[in-house]
Amino acid sequence: QMGRVGKRQASRAFSLYANIDILRPYFDVEPVQVRARLLESMIPVKMINFPQKIAGELYGPLMLVFTLVAILLHGMKTSDTIIREGTLMGTAIGTCFGYWLGVSSFIYFLAYLCNAQITMVQMLSLLGYGLFGHCITLFVTYNIHFHSLFYIFWLGVGGLSTLRMVAVLVSRTVGHTQRLILCGTLAALHMLFLLYLHFAYHKVVEGILDTLEGPNMPPFQRVARDIPVVSNAVLNTTAKAVALTL
């Protein structure tokens, strides 16, 4: 019986090690390669005749998603966001990972219908590195509160990362209609997600006050409460009495 129990535990440990060993190639990457891929994610390359190369690793995209979670959590705290159900951490993790996994699965399904040459791992890697522009934009605009600056970064930094993904998908898709459907859907989802992260968790309280007060209303004035108003006559009488006593 002891032998059977030991054999069962050894088989479980071996199967767990085998499952981890399957995922090891997707996380076996050097920091220099991750840095180079981060820079490449901001440089669109116009090459349509040959399919552009996509890194088949998940270490960099996973770290970018966790970075986006941390930045989003910082934005929630600075804007005094109140979550009715759940916690700030759970909301940030659910939002970022839900977008990464959900949109990657949807675009992969759409790419399958459009006969695009891309795998699920490559789609996860492509969209994950595409979040680098979102991280830069949100990190700057969460600390420098100017909406005009956000629109500049949204079009510049976010647009470059989106164009990079669009260029890769164009090189791996045949047919103008298929390219338009696939790339237009990805670009719209990616840019709208950045708008959602900015306006949903950036200075929410300030926006509510602006809505309630109106654009031309003066700001709230802090006044003392529950203090009786004393007239000048009473003050003069008190002062004279004190002077006579002295």
Side-chain angles (χ1 to χ4, degrees):
Q1 186 177 0
M2 292 177 60
R4 287 196 299 270
V5 172
K7 183 179 180 180
R8 191 181 303 114
Q9 292 179 354
S11 61
R12 289 179 180 176
F14 180 76
S15 61
L16 179 62
Y17 179 79
N19 293 333
I20 295 175
D21 195 58
I22 292 174
L23 299 176
R24 185 174 299 172
Y26 301 113
F27 295 90
D28 187 13
V29 61
E30 297 294 332
V32 179
Q33 295 176 338
V34 175
R35 183 180 60 187
R37 287 164 184 169
L38 288 176
L39 295 177
E40 290 176 357
S41 66
M42 303 296 298
I43 304 175
V45 179
K46 185 178 180 181
M47 184 176 64
I48 303 177
N49 297 328
F50 300 97
Q52 297 186 23
K53 185 179 179 180
I54 303 176
E57 53 96 3
L58 299 178
Y59 176 78
L62 189 61
M63 292 300 104
L64 281 173
V65 174
F66 279 118
T67 304
L68 186 61
V69 169
I71 296 173
L72 185 58
L73 188 62
H74 168 68
M76 290 179 178
K77 290 182 178 179
T78 55
S79 62
D80 297 332
T81 302
I82 299 175
I83 304 299
R84 298 298 180 184
E85 297 180 359
T87 60
L88 295 180
M89 180 66 75
T91 303
I93 292 177
T95 301
C96 298
F97 275 91
Y99 171 78
W100 182 43
L101 298 176
V103 174
S104 296
S105 302
F106 176 71
I107 296 298
Y108 173 71
F109 174 73
L110 200 61
Y112 175 77
L113 297 179
C114 296
N115 293 326
Q117 301 176 5
I118 190 170
T119 63
M120 184 61 187
V121 176
Q122 290 176 338
M123 191 63 236
L124 287 171
S125 179
L126 181 65
L127 186 63
Y129 277 110
L131 293 175
F132 182 56
H134 287 32
C135 292
I136 296 176
T137 303
L138 294 178
F139 179 76
V140 174
T141 55
Y142 277 165
N143 294 281
I144 304 176
H145 309 296
F146 292 105
H147 288 294
S148 58
L149 181 64
F150 165 75
Y151 287 118
I152 294 173
F153 273 80
W154 179 66
L155 291 175
V157 181
L160 285 177
S161 62
T162 304
L163 286 178
R164 168 67 180 182
M165 294 189 297
V166 168
V168 173
L169 288 180
V170 166
S171 66
R172 290 175 170 266
T173 309
V174 178
H176 296 287
T177 305
Q178 291 83 349
R179 289 174 177 174
L180 182 61
I181 295 174
L182 184 61
C183 299
T185 304
L186 178 60
L189 291 175
H190 202 62
M191 298 296 286
L192 289 177
F193 180 64
L194 184 54
L195 283 176
Y196 168 75
L197 292 181
H198 176 75
F199 287 104
Y201 304 111
H202 178 68
K203 290 294 180 183
V204 177
V205 177
E206 180 181 334
I208 294 175
L209 290 179
D210 291 340
T211 303
L212 293 177
E213 296 175 15
N216 298 323
M217 292 293 291
F220 286 122
Q221 299 292 331
R222 296 186 177 273
V223 297
R225 300 289 183 180
D226 300 331
I227 298 178
V229 179
V230 182
S231 62
N232 293 331
V234 176
L235 290 176
N236 295 331
T237 305
T238 305
K240 290 179 180 179
V242 173
L244 291 174
T245 304
L246 296 177

